[in-house]
Amino acid sequence: MGDSREVPLRELNQQTSRIMARVEAGETVTITKDGVPIGDIVPRGSRLGRPAYPFRTDPMGPLDLPDLGGPELTDDEIDVTLRGMGAVDE
């Protein structure tokens, strides 16, 4: 455990299950692209001094939006508006 080894990205793509089995067994795998490390796959719960970024739905915390006096919109109305923002009119 605590073992570490470099694995080329191509090998990760071709042997994902094998590599993930090694991670599950406690090995840290450093992924490389053209010989340059691009990331690490570490066992869950590992304490290697790397920052942990747990999944959050509110990464900035609660939003305090000012009331601009506009109409109250439903989620569906907002969705339609946002989807139309990139549309090109002919």
Side-chain angles (χ1 to χ4, degrees):
M1 289 191 64
D3 213 8
S4 181
R5 181 169 159 233
E6 291 187 352
V7 173
L9 184 58
R10 170 176 263 152
E11 184 178 335
L12 175 64
N13 287 333
Q14 295 172 348
Q15 299 182 20
T16 305
S17 293
R18 262 189 214 161
I19 293 168
M20 293 309 293
R22 291 171 28 199
V23 172
E24 185 177 28
E27 184 176 341
T28 295
V29 177
T30 299
I31 306 303
T32 62
K33 183 176 181 182
D34 299 324
V36 178
I38 59 172
D40 296 308
I41 303 176
V42 298
R44 185 164 182 102
S46 179
R47 299 272 186 233
L48 298 176
R50 294 182 175 91
Y53 302 103
F55 177 78
R56 293 185 52 136
T57 58
D58 62 338
M60 299 185 313
L63 296 177
D64 184 21
L65 299 175
D67 182 5
L68 301 176
E72 292 288 326
L73 298 175
T74 66
D75 287 344
D76 290 335
E77 291 171 319
I78 293 170
D79 188 49
V80 168
T81 301
L82 292 175
R83 289 182 189 275
M85 291 179 81
V88 177
D89 293 330
E90 291 185 24

